Amino acid sequence: MNLANQATGNVLKIFLVIGMILGGIVVLTNFFYAYFYEVYLLIFWVDQAVSISNSVIWFITCIIYLIWIYKVHTDLRILNPDYPITPLGSIARIIIPFYNLYGLWNIFSTMSRYFKEHNKTFNIGNRLELIIPFYYILFLGTEILNRSIVASEVPNIHIFVISFILDLILIVIFFLMVKNILKALPIIQSELTEVNQNNQSINS
């Protein structure tokens, strides 16, 4: 059986890499905007083009992410019918306001525990467990920071630059999470297939 999430996950990784590249350029251009405005005027067109491209890429990435997380949980329920989060439940945990404050943590911490139940993915589960707090704190922190910047008539220029840096770090951390999840699921599938084949051999 082919895992449903793998192809979508690989596309998601590509978009995240593009997002990291564009995010890095945005950090650089806004650094010049904040501290070397004369230089920024020379690369103003680059900043505008990259900012628009980054917004489009981020929108597409969010759509792919929702499709991917749905497929991940479809695969998890096939691998383990008792897995506690359904595909629709995973989407609800992400898109429902306020509930997603708990839901995001719940999705990835549940996956981490499940990976740690299998010998071959125990280390991946540990890595995911270590990454989750950084992802969660940065996710909340960037949301609060970006909202405060939008609400402020004259935003602090240093906070403005920091917000772009934190956004970039968040994408990098999320990329690492996606990479580990994509790596773990085929290993679990292979392990379960091997166990089933051994059981069949014993029974026959």
Side-chain angles (χ1 to χ4, degrees):
M1 180 195 77
N2 292 325
L3 293 169
N5 79 91
Q6 294 292 296
T8 308
N10 287 327
V11 174
L12 178 59
K13 278 170 54 180
I14 291 170
F15 273 84
L16 287 171
V17 169
I18 295 171
M20 284 188 278
I21 294 169
L22 294 178
I25 296 172
V26 168
V27 168
L28 186 61
T29 56
N30 280 278
F31 176 81
F32 285 122
Y33 173 79
Y35 304 112
F36 301 97
Y37 192 69
E38 294 80 7
V39 177
Y40 174 78
L41 291 176
L42 299 174
I43 59 171
F44 170 78
W45 64 274
V46 175
D47 180 52
Q48 295 299 301
V50 171
S51 294
I52 293 170
S53 300
N54 197 38
S55 297
V56 173
I57 290 294
W58 186 241
F59 176 77
I60 296 171
T61 302
C62 289
I63 300 299
I64 296 172
Y65 166 56
L66 290 175
I67 296 170
W68 174 71
I69 206 72
Y70 181 92
K71 290 185 175 183
V72 165
H73 285 81
T74 298
D75 287 333
L76 285 167
R77 294 282 283 195
I78 292 172
L79 294 172
N80 179 10
D82 295 324
Y83 191 80
I85 302 176
T86 65
L88 286 177
S90 67
I91 298 297
R93 284 165 168 78
I94 294 170
I95 66 174
I96 297 177
F98 300 108
Y99 179 46
N100 60 8
L101 296 177
Y102 155 80
L104 282 168
W105 185 283
N106 181 243
I107 284 173
F108 296 113
S109 62
T110 302
M111 258 192 267
S112 170
R113 288 194 299 272
Y114 181 64
F115 294 163
K116 288 169 70 175
E117 291 173 4
H118 298 265
N119 292 331
K120 294 180 179 179
T121 56
F122 182 83
N123 290 335
I124 296 176
N126 268 338
R127 283 199 297 272
L128 190 59
E129 186 178 48
L130 290 172
I131 294 172
I132 292 169
F134 294 100
Y135 170 75
Y136 191 75
I137 292 168
L138 274 172
F139 177 82
L140 293 179
T142 53
E143 281 288 311
I144 294 169
L145 201 59
N146 291 333
R147 288 178 187 274
S148 69
I149 290 171
V150 171
S152 176
E153 293 182 6
V154 184
N156 184 296
I157 198 68
H158 305 298
I159 294 177
F160 188 70
V161 173
I162 290 170
S163 71
F164 285 107
I165 295 172
L166 293 180
D167 284 339
L168 178 58
I169 295 171
L170 179 62
I171 297 173
V172 172
I173 289 176
F174 184 60
F175 175 83
L176 294 174
M177 292 173 69
V178 171
K179 183 178 178 181
N180 277 287
I181 293 167
L182 284 171
K183 183 178 179 181
L185 290 173
I187 295 173
I188 291 174
Q189 182 190 38
S190 176
E191 185 178 326
L192 292 174
T193 301
E194 185 179 334
V195 169
N196 289 333
Q197 288 175 345
N198 290 336
N199 289 338
Q200 289 175 359
S201 298
I202 292 171
N203 292 332
S204 60

